[in-house]
Amino acid sequence: MHLFPLQGFPVPTPPAKSPLAAHMDESPAPLYARVKQMISQQILNGNWPPHYRVPSESELVNQLGFSRMTINRALRELTAEGLLVRMQGVGTFVAEPKSQSALFEVHNIADEIGSRGHRHTCKVITLGEEAAGSERAVALEMREGGRVFHSLIVHYENDIPVQIEDRFVNALVAPEYLQQDFTQQTPYAYLNQVAPLTEGEHVVEAILADPQECKLLQIEAGEPCLLIRRRTWSGRQPVTAARLIHPGSRHSLEGRFSK
């Protein structure tokens, strides 16, 4: 039988029960764990490559005969483990291997994505001018009410949202910030031209994204995210204060240091 008889699924139909299905039947593991094992095996053996659309919960219920609760738990846990990506209103897909960012360095996200052989695109949600409130003034070491530029951008890797970049920029340092086309050049690349980065500060937190952030990242409510609070300087002048939000299932941080 077909284990997952979907269009384009490259598993041949054996004359009898497939070894994988037989293994599932004989396993003493809970049903949700058996479903996880079956799906993981399809991913690990290459039958389901990155971006492959996984059968829906209803399809898996019909094909495997398990309850919707069992299937839902298996898909949720595989998503949390980074093997699947669930895009709200679109479907569930096999994830790319997790992207990584250097914890102690500042890089252009477009370059990071390009280095993996993937395609970077972005969508500008907000681009405008604001008066600095007390929190923003402290972060940028300026007087309250001073001019700051605000950009909110969603970055995509192969059409999957991987980062919300919520950035505030000292208007005195980059007065032409609002005139830039950030779909062609990232804020990082532009700012590094007009105010070359000399110092950076990172604070990393685990958070739950708010409803608007979940919508922008196409994730379900309650999915853990990584938040990086980043400030940068050019010489002694603060340049930006940014919040970078990554879905935890699609991103990891790495760092290396020695004594």
Side-chain angles (χ1 to χ4, degrees), residues 16-154:
K17 185 178 294 183
S18 72
L20 187 58
H23 176 76
M24 181 197 71
D25 292 341
E26 297 167 2
S27 170
L31 293 181
Y32 78 89
R34 301 185 208 178
V35 176
K36 286 180 61 179
Q37 182 181 37
M38 293 170 64
I39 294 174
S40 299
Q41 187 62 42
Q42 298 306 311
I43 295 171
L44 294 175
N45 67 18
N47 287 332
W48 289 8
H51 308 299
Y52 184 89
R53 181 189 174 279
V54 174
S56 68
E57 288 186 13
S58 297
E59 290 170 324
L60 289 173
V61 167
N62 291 334
Q63 292 168 23
L64 300 178
F66 296 155
S67 71
R68 197 177 193 93
M69 183 180 300
T70 295
I71 299 300
N72 179 269
R73 179 171 178 179
L75 294 178
R76 281 192 292 108
E77 292 196 4
L78 287 170
T79 299
E81 293 166 12
L83 285 179
L84 300 179
V85 174
R86 306 188 78 179
M87 299 176 67
Q88 199 165 24
V90 179
T92 301
F93 301 86
V94 176
E96 287 276 2
K98 277 192 177 183
S99 60
Q100 295 183 328
S101 293
L103 181 57
F104 303 110
E105 299 176 17
V106 179
H107 292 297
N108 184 0
I109 186 171
D111 292 340
E112 286 188 0
I113 291 172
S115 71
R116 294 189 283 271
H118 296 166
R119 181 170 58 89
H120 168 266
T121 55
C122 70
K123 182 178 181 180
V124 178
I125 308 300
T126 298
L127 184 61
E129 181 179 327
E130 300 180 12
S134 57
E135 180 182 353
R136 212 68 61 207
V138 170
L140 291 172
E141 301 176 15
M142 63 190 304
R143 63 177 179 81
E144 190 171 346
R147 294 172 63 235
V148 294
F149 297 138
H150 179 210
S151 59
L152 181 66
I153 298 172
V154 181

Side-chain angles (χ1 to χ4, degrees), residues 33 35 44 60 96-97 109 113 142 161-162 169 174-175 189 194 199 204 210 240 244:
V35 176
L44 294 175
L60 289 173
E96 287 276 2
I109 186 171
I113 291 172
M142 63 190 304
V162 293
V169 178
V194 300
E199 185 179 352
V204 182
D210 66 28
T240 72
L244 309 175

Side-chain angles (χ1 to χ4, degrees), residues 239-256:
V239 178
T240 72
R243 296 171 70 251
L244 309 175
I245 303 172
H246 303 262
S249 61
R250 304 174 197 169
H251 195 78
S252 65
L253 295 172
E254 62 176 8
R256 181 176 181 178

Side-chain angles (χ1 to χ4, degrees), residues 182-201:
F182 291 125
T183 65
Q184 301 300 314
Q185 181 183 44
T186 65
Y188 170 89
Y190 171 70
L191 290 169
N192 213 33
Q193 292 173 6
V194 300
L197 171 69
T198 60
E199 185 179 352
E201 172 188 273

